[in-house]
Amino acid sequence: MFRKLVAIEPVSLVPAAEKRLYDLAEEVVLYDDVPTDDATIASRIGDADAVLLSYTSQLRRAALERCPDVRYIGMCCSLYAPESANVDIRYAASRGIVVKGIRDYGDEGVVEYVVSELVRLLHGFGGESWEAVPREITGLKAGIVGLGKSGGMIADAMRFFGAKVSYFARNEKPQAAEKGYRFRPLDALLAENEVIFCCLNKNVVLLHDAQFEALGERKILFNTGLSPAWDEAPLRRWLEGDNRLCCDTVGALGGEALLAHPHVRCMRVSTGRTQQAFDRLSEKVLANLTDYLAEHERA
């Protein structure tokens, strides 16, 4: 059992899961607002040995240095790599602090958004149709950039509706070939497909000047990541053509500057934040906590 567990900000646990925290620590402190600086974060952590946070705060070295009792940090959000994390994982590791994050809890809602928005564009539901005659996804050439969990689910959804799917990833994936998905170099993928889905980790940028040149005209680009997958200048030039950019959050768009652009469709909401996603997030956060305690109690 932890001596003291502190959630330094709202962490989106469902009520039943939040209640279970009290079985894992002698003292539990939950804050309902987002701290504004390192000093506030350090003050909230105090002498706690376990910390929870979501994606809206940065837990940096400057705060952790003031909190010598911390031995566990639970990220109630996605953790892919130290470079994209909102916790200074390398400093934590140097102190022997265990950092656990979660993955794959909101992908289903993102896939539903992609299908919904693409259908609206192709058919003209709620606006002008992408083409003179409404069309189906059937036969559409769809390219996936990043075939991780969410990219793979989008690829499967496109395949279900009859699209011709190809992808680019760091490595070819045998399971993708078994489904008929073709691996293509990035520039070839961009040139050959009508719709591109960027499904990349946070802060990964693959679309530069050359890639937008390869992408060309009369294309639809989706970004389902947490941050832009492109350099802003070539994106802006590309948007001046007959092209469309679709994303759910302002963060995925890169800020508010392009919200009013006539070729941008931004929902301004995280489509992965569904009731089911909160259920999955809660169970994974609790599993990380209990696994850590079980392991260290055995030790």
Side-chain angles (χ1 to χ4, degrees):
M1 178 175 284
F2 294 110
R3 181 175 44 78
K4 182 177 180 180
L5 184 153
V6 175
I8 64 172
E9 63 180 345
V11 291
S12 301
L13 299 184
V14 298
E18 189 173 290
K19 185 177 180 180
R20 286 168 59 188
L21 292 178
Y22 292 85
D23 298 327
L24 303 177
E26 297 173 9
E27 180 183 357
V28 175
V29 180
L30 307 176
Y31 287 91
D32 60 5
D33 64 333
V34 178
T36 56
D37 52 42
D38 293 328
T40 303
I41 290 173
S43 175
R44 290 186 178 188
I45 295 172
D47 62 349
D49 54 346
V51 179
L52 297 180
L53 76 160
S54 187
Y55 62 91
T56 45
S57 292
Q58 296 283 328
L59 184 47
R60 292 181 280 253
R61 176 173 182 161
L64 284 172
E65 284 180 328
R66 307 182 197 183
C67 306
D69 296 324
V70 175
R71 60 188 174 106
Y72 177 88
I73 298 171
M75 294 172 57
C76 305
C77 54
S78 297
L79 171 56
Y80 294 102
E83 294 78 13
S84 61
N86 58 320
V87 173
D88 190 335
I89 292 178
R90 292 191 174 93
Y91 173 69
S94 74
R95 288 247 315 260
I97 300 171
V98 173
V99 182
K100 294 288 186 181
I102 60 175
R103 296 180 66 169
D104 307 333
Y105 58 93
D107 298 315
E108 287 80 357
V110 173
V111 176
E112 290 183 357
Y113 153 70
V114 163
V115 172
S116 170
E117 190 70 350
L118 182 58
V119 168
R120 286 171 59 82
L121 267 171
L122 296 180
H123 284 262
F125 298 152
E128 186 178 349
S129 175
W130 176 239
E131 295 184 355
V133 178
R135 65 177 293 187
E136 305 165 359
I137 296 176
T138 305
L140 186 75
K141 295 178 182 177
I144 315 293
V145 181
L147 204 68
K149 179 66 181 296
S150 65
M153 292 174 68
I154 290 172
D156 291 346
M158 291 298 105
R159 178 192 183 206
F160 174 80
F161 284 104
K164 300 174 182 177
V165 178
S166 54
Y167 74 98
F168 169 80
R170 284 176 292 184
N171 302 293
E172 292 191 50
K173 301 181 182 296
Q175 64 271 30
E178 292 171 3
K179 296 179 179 180
Y181 306 158
R182 293 191 309 138
F183 176 83
R184 302 292 292 140
L186 179 57
D187 287 3
L189 182 90
L190 297 172
E192 295 168 0
N193 286 284
E194 302 167 88
V195 180
I196 298 293
F197 301 94
C198 286
C199 311
L200 300 170
N201 291 345
K202 186 177 181 181
N203 299 328
V204 175
V205 176
L206 293 184
L207 305 188
H208 310 289
D209 287 281
Q211 283 66 52
F212 280 103
E213 286 292 328
L215 184 57
E217 287 291 307
R218 193 69 185 155
K219 299 291 183 72
I220 301 171
L221 175 63
F222 278 83
N223 182 33
T224 67
L226 297 176
S227 61
W230 52 74
D231 292 331
E232 183 175 343
L235 170 76
R236 284 181 173 273
R237 291 193 294 271
W238 180 78
L239 281 173
E240 295 309 308
D242 189 11
N243 302 301
R244 297 295 182 272
L245 172 63
C246 303
C247 53
D248 58 348
T249 67
V250 175
L253 182 59
E256 298 182 354
L258 288 172
L259 281 175
H261 195 289
H263 291 173
V264 170
R265 296 167 67 104
C266 180
M267 304 298 292
R268 309 188 197 194
V269 64
S270 174
T271 54
R273 292 175 64 83
T274 64
Q275 181 59 60
Q276 294 90 336
F278 290 132
D279 291 339
R280 289 187 287 267
L281 178 149
S282 298
E283 289 303 316
K284 292 185 176 189
V285 168
L286 287 172
N288 282 344
L289 285 163
T290 55
D291 288 349
Y292 173 86
L293 287 172
E295 180 180 341
H296 286 75
E297 285 173 0
R298 286 196 302 270

